[in-house]
Amino acid sequence: MTEVIPCMCGHSEDLCRNVAFTPRAGLPPFGWLAGSCCNFSWHISVLQLPCQCVSQEMLLEIARGQASPCSLTFGQYACAQTAWLQDLQDDFLISLYSCLTPKPASAMDPEYSVLFFSKYDAKKLVAALTMFSQRFFHVALSLEWNMVFMNGVWEKMLQVPDIDSPPILSQWVHEGLQPFLVEPKVFACLHAKNVLCETFQMIVAALNGIYSDLPVEEQRNLYAGIKYYLIQDGSNQKCYSAAVPGLNSTAWFENYLGSFLEHATVGDLQLFGDELTLQKFVRDPVNIQMISNLTLLRETAVYYTLLLTSGPGFSLSSLPDRFVCYLSPSAVSNLSRDDALSLAQRISENCPLNLKHRGITRERAPSSLTTEELQVASSLVRKFEHFPPAVLRALGQAAVGLSISDIENSISDKDLEASIPALGEVRGWNAEQSSAIINKLLSSGYQIRDGQSLAKLGSLVAGLNSSTLRSLPPEVILEAIKLPEFVQQMVTLPSVLKMTFVEKISSSVGHPADLVKYIPDALASYIPKSLLVFGEEKPNIQDLSSKMWTREQAAMFFSDVIKTEPDFSRLSQSVLQGFTCAAANEMEAERFQELAKVMKKKNVKLGEDQLSCLVKMVTLHGIPQDLDNYPKDLLLFLSPSDYAATGSCRQYFANVGKANLDVLQRESSQRKQLLLEALACLKIPGTQVNEENAEILGHLVCDLGGEYIRSSGGNLLKQLSQCKSFLPDQEEAIRSVVSSGNTTFGPPVVWSAFTLNELSGLIPVFDHSILQKIPKNALTLWLKNYAHNSPLSREQLATIVEELLPTRHKRADGCPPDKQITEMVLNDDLMPVYYTPEELHTCLKNVSLENHLSQTLTYPFSVEQLGVLKRNLDETYPDGYPESLLPKLGPLIFFVTPEDVSKWKIISADTLAVLLKDQPPDDQASAVIKRYVGLGNALNATALNAIGTRYVCLLNATELNMIDSNSLKLASLNPSACPQLTQNILYAKAKQAFSDQKYLPAYYDLVEPYLGGAPGVDLRALSKGNVNMNVSTFAKLRGDSLLSLTPSEVQGLLGINLRDLQKWQNKSPIQEWIQKQKQSELDKLHVGLTGGTQEGYMNIVMPKFQSPSSASLGAMATTLHLLPALLISFLMMSVLS
């Protein structure tokens, strides 16, 4: 008998080939014999394997539940007699798997698996596998034991009669093998088995039957396995040959990919076949029918459409409707006017407003359209010289291709007004287009008399300026927002217009409940929080829960809501995020626990202070034994020992890894301690972390030091790509790992656009040495199809653009003919890639940027290229930029000088808001603010919100005193980091602004950001109001005010947060406050504070709040010099008395 060599799937493909095998009689004609990673010799006898004795009684006890399945080894089960195994229950495989997985598989376990499953009755095995599949349907199996089980199950499946018939094979794949097949490495075994294409086609068909039931991650894993099978033989036309019957079907996508084609990239398609072969595939009617029902990655859909339309003799009229949304400009360049209108109508009908493309975001400013969509629209529009209403109506969505010149010169005033209903339905207007249309419309006499005439503008409403909107009567706006079609347009409005709409609506609606009821969803988050204080008015829970609020807004009415609503499950996630300690502190324990558990179910995201309070409330009477029923983020404030009654430390850290770790500061002791405890719990030896432990650590991977990243190779990249920031040693380690090429992604020289998309979170870490190795076409394709969906900023994207530009810039004598800047170029977000800075400067001559500036400046231009754009504007407007240009400057604000700003007319708070939106450096921001104020403009609510917390500290006392308290009431500022004088002035104004709400629960939340300027008398008043101040806020109070408080007053202020004082007692100014108190008074707080004055002693406290002047230093020196004499006199008086 031929010796059988055991092999384990998945360690390497070399192990997937047996040294020898014995063919079986009666094997179905699948050709699955040419060696494999799962050992397939059917003639296995007990003599071949080291069998381990087992009795029938032992198996019966296990089958009856009288003994643990873990009491026998896998070898003992494999060596049991066939008849005995039939007594096992259908759920036995689940128990067996749970017993085996904690231990590593042995070299013989794959053989034991073949022997064990060979003894199972086929029907019984299908029933057992069905239960196993149901249990592990969405649970990742251990890779090692997945392969072991697959060894035996696959072999047993081959012995089933008629297994080559699709229904029977489908049953096995669908009901039994699905949990095993989601591991891509299993398909390496199928490839090594030499599984025939016909058989593989049936496997894909079976998997396709359950595709829609699978989570996206499992769909991707299965696709990765399918792709592996199809490309690993070195041919790029696997399972296709025009000359071989059975392999000559051009319905290849349907046969071998099915719905899994949704996960294919352009690079993948090019691996599956050369261009000529792919053109045959894409034109196959079966494939076209299938793809018409799929949602492809956008880049894939565009490429598929390009293949369809680029062949000779192809007529666009025969293009299926689904593909008109993915046309390239070249496909429409030679159309007649009639054909252009016909195609435009098809685009409008088949590419709806809410169309979602996978792989690219649809929410990007200023246009929600892709470069191809804009260029196709522009190409269609260029077929016409004039645009009467009939043409504009027929163009439909393609009218977005109108240039500013078209709008101003090729449409008469009368035709424009007649076309408003059609133009108002077009999506994707940029700021210049919508403004040009509105300005022309209003200047020709169009009047907005009522809500209907305002709503009629549709998507063009974004072109209104805020002053026009403010001039409208409130009733016009109130009427318009009752019309659903108008409300839909609110979503894409600029922030300035949204705030203006809120201002108009709130000015005519007197009660918070009415304001909440009438305000459109898209505007709700712009309501000043002070207008959401209900007071004696009862809130409408349904109205509140139907809107999206910020956390600060929701805090205003949280107390009112939980008093009103008996069923917390009716509250939305948005309302629940307003959780306040003061409101929770007034609840009964049972009601509070109910609230906390609902917050878990609704996945409510809370801040650090909220969670700190929540954990104190939850654990007030001890640690609950059902911690998994509370918000996951609470675990960040607990320890594995606290979780012991709920689960193991491994479960604890698996949950912590999924929690929002960013609620704790990056370098905080809490985060460091969590990581240390996690490493200890997982028993990670040294600094090497495997993939399984990396999965458990989750977000904690972001805190691993550089030595862990280096030692772990590519195991951590998936988690690291989700991190928001890195320390220098982490960045260096990531670069080292990536450069080595020893990761699943391979070296940078082989990366594709899809690879870059998977690693997009790490791209900011890559330096020139890495970026220069990535194929330029991969970088370009990534910028084109994925960049807008990445977390990278415009500035970070610009670093990639720099890599794509020539390193040596030639002096440009003139603009090259092929680089003329046309309308199509200005609509292309890859424009920065096409021009060196010198070329850009030369080619911009005689080009008006103003009409395209807001859109163009969203493109990832390099710093040098942005400098060229600024230079172009300076040359065009030597006497200063016109006011209409200022809101469009975007990132160019970083290049302006105080001299530039001194020429500007900033006469609108809206313009101020737009100029500060990109958060320029303090110097530029200060110049802009001073120019605005210097021109006599008021610091109203719009201006204050524009200045915001970031720049409020730049205001001097004169400017601060100009602020009206009513304006402050409608603004959102936090001056706690400002100079003390700024805080003092703003607190006084805030106190006055919110004085009418002083006795309401929301008063503290309104005034809290300004408390750094509060005098002691006001803090003492707050200490009687159950405010539960955070210690972080307490530590920022004005120094003299804080020192004036007694321990009992501090207890009143901090409430449930009092115990946190102990952690801060060695930090200023709390340390100074403690030293000033009697220790006996501190002891009454029962929070472990030490360092107070003992009875009979006197502490001399030197406040650290301000640096004393030279004059006060002199006085202090004199006092200290006299101190010994004074003390001696005091002691002598005491003795004599």
Side-chain angles (χ1 to χ4, degrees), residues 516-683:
V516 170
K517 180 179 181 180
Y518 294 126
I519 202 82
D521 293 356
L523 304 182
S525 62
Y526 289 84
I527 299 176
K529 61 183 181 180
S530 61
L531 300 183
L532 292 170
V533 178
F534 284 83
E536 300 300 319
E537 191 177 355
K538 187 177 179 180
N540 185 303
I541 304 301
Q542 187 174 351
D543 287 344
L544 283 171
S545 287
S546 67
K547 303 285 196 295
M548 292 300 297
W549 308 104
T550 66
R551 189 179 294 158
E552 291 74 21
Q553 285 176 315
M556 294 297 104
F557 48 74
F558 183 80
S559 177
D560 299 312
V561 165
I562 60 172
K563 290 174 184 174
T564 305
E565 178 54 60
D567 181 6
F568 294 144
S569 64
R570 291 183 62 221
L571 301 178
S572 69
Q573 181 190 59
S574 180
V575 169
L576 289 168
Q577 69 171 335
F579 170 85
T580 63
C581 224
N585 215 10
E586 295 179 349
M587 298 175 68
E588 295 177 2
E590 189 176 339
R591 282 273 288 165
F592 173 77
Q593 300 217 347
E594 181 188 341
L595 172 67
K597 291 177 180 180
V598 167
M599 291 167 82
K600 162 67 186 287
K601 290 176 184 174
K602 302 263 185 175
N603 194 27
V604 176
K605 301 296 181 189
L606 300 176
E608 180 178 6
D609 291 336
Q610 291 173 305
L611 288 166
S612 177
C613 169
L614 190 65
V615 78
K616 294 184 189 89
M617 299 284 290
V618 167
T619 60
L620 200 58
H621 303 293
I623 306 292
Q625 295 190 1
D626 58 345
L627 274 175
D628 282 346
N629 293 328
Y630 292 87
K632 203 183 298 294
D633 293 349
L634 280 190
L635 299 180
L636 297 170
F637 297 82
L638 298 171
S639 66
S641 58
D642 296 326
Y643 190 77
T646 303
S648 65
C649 74
R650 196 177 182 87
Q651 286 174 272
Y652 168 79
F653 283 111
N655 284 324
V656 165
K658 295 170 188 169
N660 180 20
L661 197 60
D662 289 325
V663 300
L664 300 178
Q665 292 183 10
R666 177 68 189 264
E667 293 294 297
S668 68
S669 58
Q670 280 172 285
R671 275 180 72 150
K672 291 178 180 177
Q673 186 61 29
L674 277 172
L675 181 61
L676 290 174
E677 290 177 340
L679 296 173
C681 166
L682 299 177
K683 298 176 181 169

Side-chain angles (χ1 to χ4, degrees), residues 145-164:
W145 284 101
N146 181 343
M147 298 300 191
V148 170
F149 272 48
M150 191 67 178
N151 256 12
V153 172
W154 192 272
E155 272 297 289
K156 179 65 181 179
M157 187 180 80
L158 296 186
Q159 304 308 312
V160 174
D162 298 322
I163 190 61
D164 56 340

Side-chain angles (χ1 to χ4, degrees), residues 1065 1071-1083 1089-1095 1097-1099:
Q1065 64 178 332
Q1071 186 178 44
E1072 288 77 38
W1073 176 80
I1074 290 173
Q1075 291 171 355
K1076 193 171 181 292
Q1077 312 308 315
K1078 290 183 178 179
Q1079 186 61 46
S1080 59
E1081 292 298 311
L1082 294 175
D1083 292 341
L1089 297 181
T1090 58
T1093 305
Q1094 300 296 332
E1095 297 297 333
Y1097 288 84
M1098 177 176 66
N1099 271 3

Side-chain angles (χ1 to χ4, degrees), residues 972-988:
S972 181
L973 300 175
N974 185 339
S976 59
C978 294
Q980 190 60 59
L981 178 61
T982 300
Q983 294 191 65
N984 293 349
I985 294 172
L986 287 178
Y987 171 75

Side-chain angles (χ1 to χ4, degrees), residues 291-309:
I291 288 175
S292 295
N293 296 310
L294 300 181
T295 307
L296 302 182
L297 293 169
R298 173 157 185 88
E299 61 151 343
T300 307
V302 170
Y303 181 64
Y304 193 103
T305 308
L306 183 64
L307 287 171
L308 257 180
T309 56

Side-chain angles (χ1 to χ4, degrees), residues 106-126:
S106 71
M108 298 309 298
D109 283 330
E111 301 300 335
Y112 284 136
S113 178
V114 175
L115 184 59
F116 172 73
F117 286 107
S118 72
K119 298 178 179 182
Y120 246 98
D121 173 75
K123 289 184 179 179
K124 185 173 180 63
L125 180 56
V126 169

Side-chain angles (χ1 to χ4, degrees), residues 681-750:
C681 166
L682 299 177
K683 298 176 181 169
I684 294 174
T687 55
Q688 188 169 4
V689 182
N690 61 31
E691 285 186 37
E692 187 178 355
N693 283 335
E695 198 71 37
I696 292 170
L697 286 172
H699 297 143
L700 280 170
V701 165
C702 301
D703 288 8
L704 288 172
E707 67 278 12
Y708 282 92
I709 296 171
R710 283 191 185 85
S711 301
S712 305
N715 293 343
L716 305 180
L717 290 184
K718 177 182 174 184
Q719 283 76 24
L720 287 170
S721 66
Q722 306 299 315
C723 303
K724 293 184 178 177
S725 63
F726 299 103
L727 298 174
D729 77 309
Q730 291 177 309
E731 292 185 348
E732 191 177 332
I734 290 169
R735 288 192 285 268
S736 174
V737 169
V738 168
S739 298
S740 73
N742 296 324
T743 71
T744 55
F745 302 102
V749 291
V750 302

Side-chain angles (χ1 to χ4, degrees), residues 74-102:
F74 196 28
Q76 286 176 304
Y77 285 115
C79 294
Q81 292 187 28
T82 301
W84 301 351
L85 291 178
Q86 311 317 311
D87 293 324
L88 296 172
Q89 301 297 313
D90 288 346
D91 63 354
F92 172 71
L93 286 184
I94 298 173
S95 303
L96 176 62
Y97 175 81
S98 301
C99 292
L100 296 175
T101 49

